[in-house]
Amino acid sequence: MDILAKLADLGFTNAAVLNEAQGLTRIRTSKGWVYERFKSEEQIEAWANRHIPETVE
């Protein structure tokens, strides 16, 4: 599973994997940085449904 590619597909382009073994990822949202652990693409999709990507104006 490529966490960053999945997040980018969902509009979250400013993200970094901090610990790949644990799935710890830092993602920039409209409300700031969020730290999450993902174990599957389904978890990423569910998380993305509740958050808004950062917009650059």
Side-chain angles (χ1 to χ4, degrees):
M1 168 181 71
D2 188 348
I3 295 171
L4 296 179
K6 184 65 177 177
L7 286 167
D9 288 345
L10 296 169
F12 296 90
T13 57
N14 193 354
V17 175
L18 302 178
N19 186 323
E20 192 156 346
Q22 294 179 352
L24 181 60
T25 308
R26 179 180 69 187
I27 310 114
R28 184 73 178 188
T29 69
S30 62
K31 296 191 181 217
W33 291 107
V34 176
Y35 296 83
E36 292 289 335
R37 283 183 167 69
F38 298 114
K39 294 184 180 181
S40 69
E41 288 191 14
E42 291 79 19
Q43 281 185 331
I44 296 170
E45 290 171 4
W47 177 88
N49 288 333
R50 299 184 316 270
H51 294 84
I52 300 169
E54 174 186 44
T55 56
V56 179
E57 296 180 24

